[in-house]
Amino acid sequence: MNKETFVTKEQLDKITQEYPTPFHLYDEKGIRKNVEALKEAFAWNPGYKEYFAVKATPNPFLIDILKEYGCGCDCSSYTELMLSDAVGIRGEDIMFSSNDTPEEDFQMADRLGAIINLDDITHIAYLEKAIGHIPETISCRYNPGGLFKISNDIMDNPGDAKYGMTTEQLSEAYKILKEKGAKEFGLHAFLASNTVTNEYYPMLAKVLFKQAVKLQQETGVHIKFINLSGGIGIPYHPDQEPNDIRMIGEGVRRVYEEVLVPAGMGDMAIYTELGRFMMGPYGCLVTKAIHEKHTHKEYIGVDACAVNLMRPAMYGAYHHITVMGKENQPHDHKYDITGSLCENNDKFAIDRMLPKIDIGDYLVIHDTGAHGFSMGYSYNGKLKSAELLLKEDGSVKLIRRAEKPKDYFATFDCFEIGKKLL
């Protein structure tokens, strides 16, 4: 089966005259259409807000598009907070959800007025020492443990995750925070990753809604919002059925009215922290075939590598590949598609059936709009690629230039040898 690309070969022929491969390309039209659908799906909740997971795609030009629709930022580090601040997203439009958090990160979050989401009960004292007070609005991250199942399918194993507090710790944390002056509370949990099912969010919501009712009754705190975090996935494989965000929003609404409204908690805001769902399908890695090798297997070497897209090497993750201009040709050649790193796992595909690939062909690697560029690294001295935005009018905008050797050597600038390198 094939996947549609949001860019044509003719467009790529023109783009590559100015911007050489490899590069990440993002689809403005797709991003806007998707965020509109998300807002419609949760319009029933007056307090609803999406906090985009900056870690997924930390590019200010893309975050600025989401900002137009009222989205905030979910940050997990000092530099992500700086990025949010730079695009004008501050105060309670920032959700700071981190773990094993350095003191200076908490201080930065407090300076910006972000909502701080505590990962552990011991972080209460640590936060108070770091910033000198407990914020009036604060959130806690919950981990119920065990396995998270939908029907008989195991979606994930929260009990093996390093994130969040136990049920007992959560209740104790709320009591302590209330005693220390907190007035408004949030509840957050992330129990499964990249779920391609419309049932995940409603089931997670039910767990959190019931826990919120219990906590409010036990501790007397006012829970202002429930943060459903991320976890809504995308169909990396072409035969997967994509999530229906409107159906998901309706499922959460039903559980809201079933659990929260009868408990007198029908004023609660719903927050989300989506990253992959917001950007994943609306980005691709464009690369060019530069070598072919015929040994024990058939290899096509491209000018991108795991520095540009780490997921296949790191997780064995599947990313669909389109050979541009050959979409309708038979997939009758079996290839490993490789990068140039000195690592045998630097492969975008293994034993993948594709049309015959010739040197110079453009390959579009799909669904790299989240956790693509952002997970890049600099092994082998490789330089990160450019990021481009395909605008709604068909024009292309450079939104991050490609790295140059001087960027790689920049941290040597305080040494004598650095002057030779730079």
Side-chain angles (χ1 to χ4, degrees):
M1 295 179 69
N2 286 324
K3 270 186 172 237
E4 294 267 330
T5 58
F6 58 78
V7 65
T8 66
K9 184 178 183 301
E10 291 71 29
Q11 286 175 306
L12 286 181
D13 287 336
K14 186 176 179 181
I15 293 168
T16 54
Q17 290 176 20
E18 185 173 1
Y19 304 107
T21 54
F23 52 78
H24 283 271
L25 182 66
Y26 302 94
D27 175 23
E28 180 182 14
K29 183 177 180 180
I31 292 168
R32 289 184 180 277
K33 186 177 178 181
N34 188 53
V35 70
E36 287 168 2
L38 175 68
K39 286 179 68 68
E40 287 174 15
F42 285 93
W44 55 267
N45 183 257
Y48 173 73
K49 192 173 190 69
E50 155 65 4
Y51 289 85
F52 173 65
V54 174
K55 65 181 76 66
T57 322
N59 188 295
F61 293 90
L62 301 177
I63 294 170
D64 211 41
I65 293 173
L66 300 181
K67 182 187 172 189
E68 291 181 32
Y69 295 87
C71 297
C73 283
D74 162 41
C75 300
S76 58
S77 70
Y78 192 98
T79 46
E80 288 182 359
L81 288 165
M82 289 178 65
L83 179 55
S84 176
D85 184 37
V87 298
I89 295 177
R90 305 181 186 97
E92 293 197 358
D93 286 341
I94 301 175
M95 185 71 59
F96 184 63
S97 298
S98 68
N99 68 97
D100 195 17
T101 310
E103 187 176 86
E104 56 268 25
D105 290 28
F106 276 139
Q107 291 166 349
M108 180 63 161
D110 184 59
R111 282 197 298 274
L112 292 177
I115 299 173
I116 293 174
N117 183 34
L118 293 176
D119 181 68
D120 188 64
I121 192 169
T122 63
H123 291 184
I124 299 173
Y126 187 87
L127 173 67
E128 188 173 30
K129 180 174 179 291
I131 67 174
H133 65 102
I134 291 297
E136 289 193 359
T137 299
I138 198 159
S139 180
C140 290
R141 188 168 187 171
Y142 177 46
N143 185 334
L147 299 175
F148 188 80
K149 295 182 179 181
I150 294 178
S151 300
N152 291 320
D153 294 329
I154 297 173
M155 304 305 294
D156 220 320
N157 183 7
D160 198 38
K162 66 175 182 174
Y163 310 108
M165 307 182 199
T166 67
T167 304
E168 295 74 24
Q169 288 172 339
L170 192 65
S171 179
E172 184 64 20
Y174 275 45
K175 292 173 184 175
I176 295 170
L177 289 165
K178 184 183 178 185
E179 289 173 4
K180 291 181 177 292
K183 292 182 170 57
E184 301 283 0
F185 293 80
L187 180 61
H188 170 286
F190 179 86
L191 301 186
S193 179
N194 192 36
T195 61
V196 189
T197 168
N198 296 326
E199 297 178 61
Y200 169 63
Y201 247 26
M203 286 196 67
L204 171 64
K206 194 165 191 175
V207 170
L208 288 179
F209 294 168
K210 286 183 174 180
Q211 186 63 27
V213 171
K214 182 171 178 283
L215 283 165
Q216 192 154 299
Q217 291 172 348
E218 286 180 353
T219 65
V221 303
H222 179 250
I223 300 179
K224 179 182 179 181
F225 65 85
I226 296 286
N227 188 337
L228 299 176
S229 66
I232 297 179
I234 62 173
Y236 286 100
H237 290 264
D239 58 348
Q240 286 181 295
E241 188 72 25
N243 284 316
D244 183 332
I245 194 61
R246 291 176 176 84
M247 187 178 293
I248 290 170
E250 176 61 18
V252 174
R253 185 194 64 79
R254 285 197 300 268
V255 179
Y256 188 98
E257 293 184 354
E258 175 190 337
V259 178
L260 292 179
V261 172
M265 297 168 68
D267 61 341
M268 193 175 299
I270 301 298
Y271 297 162
T272 56
E273 292 175 351
L274 298 168
R276 193 189 320 258
F277 178 81
M278 300 301 291
M279 291 286 180
Y282 313 109
C284 64
L285 174 60
V286 181
T287 184
K288 183 168 65 175
I290 59 173
H291 289 288
E292 57 182 334
K293 184 174 183 177
H294 315 283
T295 55
H296 305 289
K297 301 183 77 173
E298 293 295 303
Y299 296 96
I300 294 294
V302 296
D303 58 5
C305 64
V307 165
N308 308 109
L309 178 62
M310 193 178 182
R311 296 184 74 252
M314 188 175 186
Y315 305 124
Y318 179 93
H319 281 264
H320 200 68
I321 296 174
T322 296
V323 183
M324 298 302 288
K326 299 182 177 179
E327 293 88 342
N328 297 320
Q329 292 187 16
H331 289 50
D332 54 2
H333 284 64
K334 184 186 289 186
Y335 295 115
D336 281 15
I337 308 297
T338 73
S340 59
L341 294 186
C342 299
E343 293 289 340
N344 195 46
N345 68 349
D346 183 20
K347 297 179 179 180
F348 295 112
I350 297 172
D351 294 333
R352 185 76 61 86
M353 298 303 297
L354 292 165
K356 183 181 184 302
I357 298 174
D358 297 302
I359 302 303
D361 281 346
Y362 293 121
L363 278 63
V364 164
I365 303 177
H366 292 252
D367 301 316
T368 70
H371 312 293
F373 181 95
S374 66
M375 293 181 73
Y377 57 120
S378 55
Y379 182 58
N380 270 178
K382 294 292 185 178
L383 304 176
K384 291 185 179 180
S385 66
E387 290 182 293
L388 309 175
L389 180 63
L390 181 62
K391 303 279 287 178
E392 288 186 288
D393 62 7
S395 64
V396 170
K397 179 177 182 177
L398 178 69
I399 59 173
R400 191 192 301 263
R401 67 164 173 82
E403 285 187 336
K404 301 174 181 178
K406 68 177 183 180
D407 299 308
Y408 180 76
F409 294 122
T411 48
F412 293 112
D413 61 0
C414 57
F415 302 104
E416 191 62 33
I417 195 171
K419 296 173 184 176
K420 298 178 182 179
L421 294 168
L422 296 169

